[in-house]
Amino acid sequence: MMNEETPSLPTKFGWVGLGAMGYPMAGQLRRKLPSTTTLWIYDVDTTSTSRFLEEETRLDAKSNVQGAQVRIGSSSREVAEESDFIITIVPEGTHVQAVYLSEGTGLLSAPDTSGKHFVDCSTIDIATSLSVGKAVRSSSKINTPTFHDAPVSGGTPGAAAATLTFMVGIEKNSPHLPLLWHIFSFMGKSLYAMGGPSLGLAAKLSNNYLSGMIALATSEAMNLGMRLGLDPKTLSDCFATSSGGSWVNSTVNPVPGVCPDAVTSKGYEGGFKVQLMKKDMTLAISAAREVDAKLVLADAGLSAYTAASDDPRCRDRDSRVVYRWCVAYSHGGLVMINVYVRLGGVEPDVKKKQID
């Protein structure tokens, strides 16, 4: 793939979805596209599109280097009408259906989709992706449009730094792969051709199930060691060179202060929201049931992320906030609370507090 001749870029791009991931991804793409190209953007939140245009205009003026010209669409349909290569990234399957299939305003309501490329980077259920992909390919009998599921991993830091991993539902010998790699390389560092349609999502759901379980296990192990008297940074360093080591432990350790630059040390603000981890765990478990794949840890893991998502101390924060939920829990009218002071804010002083 890397040795393929670099394909020519389309001149008209479209982007639907400027959320926590889509916003920085679209920015990276726009800045690296030539000034002769146009990027049409749309989001149901019009403040996001206005902010994107203003910020990108300021960046051009500051750097004196112009990327693609930005145009704001009035609907997904207008984005499709004005673009040849369209990327979508929205939170859930129902949103993907609305973006593509809504009568009169969806991408596929555009009068001519022939030859267009559609890529969905959302993390959704496999059935919806397959259904939407079929609708895309059926939308024009002349020069059939393409659709690829291409969920990403790396979180908002990876989106902002253009270091994402793309997991794509495409065959390794597909003639479309070089173009996808060329475009994705503006936003990421790795691309994996996982096979046919929906297999990118299969990889992403498997990955997020694993990632969520590792974060939960790391939270529990850190809490155990700290309650036994261990210093959290020393414990994390020990894990890093032992069999319990992981990317989560070394890069975004759930205990605030252990990784000073991570979102976990900044009030868990930003990152991958705990509600999204709950959603992805639910999707992974549902997919496992459909193919009879045994998941021994599934119920306990989903229960933990569901409880953390419902906890006002954790909701809307990075998913590694499950650590906060682990160390502050109710039982029989008592609350066990870890109050942390060392490392600038989190260190164990286990106390029992009666709840009236």
Side-chain angles (χ1 to χ4, degrees):
M1 177 175 61
M2 295 299 292
N3 295 325
E4 294 278 357
E5 182 179 346
T6 302
S8 299
L9 287 170
T11 59
K12 298 183 293 182
F13 284 82
W15 193 286
V16 178
L18 294 173
M21 291 292 290
Y23 194 100
M25 287 173 66
Q28 289 287 351
L29 176 64
R30 189 207 73 84
R31 282 167 237 145
K32 292 167 185 173
L33 289 173
S35 58
T36 53
T37 60
T38 304
L39 176 64
W40 282 80
I41 60 171
Y42 175 72
D43 192 285
V44 291
D45 179 5
T46 56
T47 60
S48 294
T49 53
S50 299
R51 180 163 62 93
F52 184 87
L53 176 59
E54 293 169 3
E55 290 186 356
E56 294 300 313
T57 300
R58 283 199 302 270
L59 284 172
D60 280 354
K62 184 177 180 180
S63 65
N64 201 29
V65 176
Q66 173 137 9
Q69 299 180 48
V70 179
R71 299 288 184 269
I72 298 176
S74 60
S75 65
S76 297
R77 171 177 172 151
E78 185 176 13
V79 169
E81 289 175 340
E82 300 291 346
S83 309
D84 296 321
F85 193 104
I86 300 101
I87 296 175
T88 58
I89 179 165
V90 291
E92 299 184 10
T94 54
H95 302 137
V96 172
Q97 288 178 317
V99 165
Y100 281 84
L101 306 178
S102 289
E103 186 175 352
T105 59
L107 291 168
L108 299 188
S109 66
D112 183 11
T113 60
S114 62
K116 294 183 185 292
H117 298 279
F118 296 88
V119 172
D120 184 40
C121 293
S122 313
T123 300
I124 62 171
D125 63 288
I126 288 172
T128 294
S129 181
L130 287 171
S131 175
V132 169
K134 182 178 179 180
V136 169
R137 290 185 289 273
S138 301
S139 64
S140 177
K141 295 181 180 179
I142 302 172
N143 196 3
T144 305
T146 68
F147 175 86
H148 295 102
D149 53 296
V152 297
S153 182
T156 51
T163 57
L164 294 172
T165 292
F166 285 81
M167 308 172 196
V168 190
I170 190 173
E171 297 83 357
K172 293 181 180 178
N173 62 352
S174 169
H176 302 299
L177 191 56
L179 176 61
L180 292 182
W181 173 245
H182 189 189
I183 293 170
F184 291 163
S185 69
F186 298 144
M187 299 172 283
K189 292 293 187 184
S190 302
L191 179 149
Y192 292 93
M194 304 308 301
S198 84
L199 293 184
L201 279 168
K204 178 63 188 292
L205 295 180
S206 301
N207 176 82
N208 278 24
Y209 178 83
L210 178 60
S211 175
M213 289 303 186
I214 290 173
L216 180 57
T218 302
S219 296
E220 292 182 333
M222 291 294 296
N223 186 42
L224 170 63
M226 292 162 68
R227 285 172 181 261
L228 291 171
L230 291 165
D231 174 81
K233 183 64 170 66
T234 303
L235 180 59
S236 175
D237 290 345
C238 177
F239 286 164
T241 58
S242 303
S243 59
S246 68
W247 178 87
V248 168
N249 171 64
S250 300
T251 309
V252 283
N253 189 287
V255 179
V258 172
C259 296
D261 296 328
V263 293
T264 49
S265 295
K266 299 174 182 177
Y268 301 97
E269 295 289 347
F272 185 70
K273 286 186 179 182
V274 67
Q275 301 100 290
L276 294 179
M277 181 59 80
K278 173 192 170 185
K279 180 205 75 169
D280 289 359
M281 292 276 286
T282 301
L283 292 174
I285 292 168
S286 176
R289 287 178 181 144
E290 291 177 8
V291 296
D292 197 26
K294 189 175 183 63
L295 299 179
V296 176
L297 305 176
D299 290 342
L302 180 58
S303 176
Y305 282 106
T306 299
S309 296
D310 294 339
D311 190 326
R313 295 164 298 185
C314 303
R315 187 170 180 81
D316 290 328
R317 298 179 188 273
D318 178 75
S319 61
R320 268 70 61 153
V321 76
V322 70
Y323 169 78
R324 178 180 286 178
W325 174 81
C326 282
V327 299
Y329 60 92
S330 301
H331 182 67
L334 294 176
V335 170
M336 298 290 291
I337 303 176
N338 272 8
V339 180
Y340 301 110
V341 201
R342 279 183 297 173
L343 293 176
V346 222
E347 202 53 62
D349 175 16
V350 183
K351 300 178 181 180
K352 289 185 179 179
K353 180 181 178 182
Q354 184 69 41
I355 300 299
D356 295 327

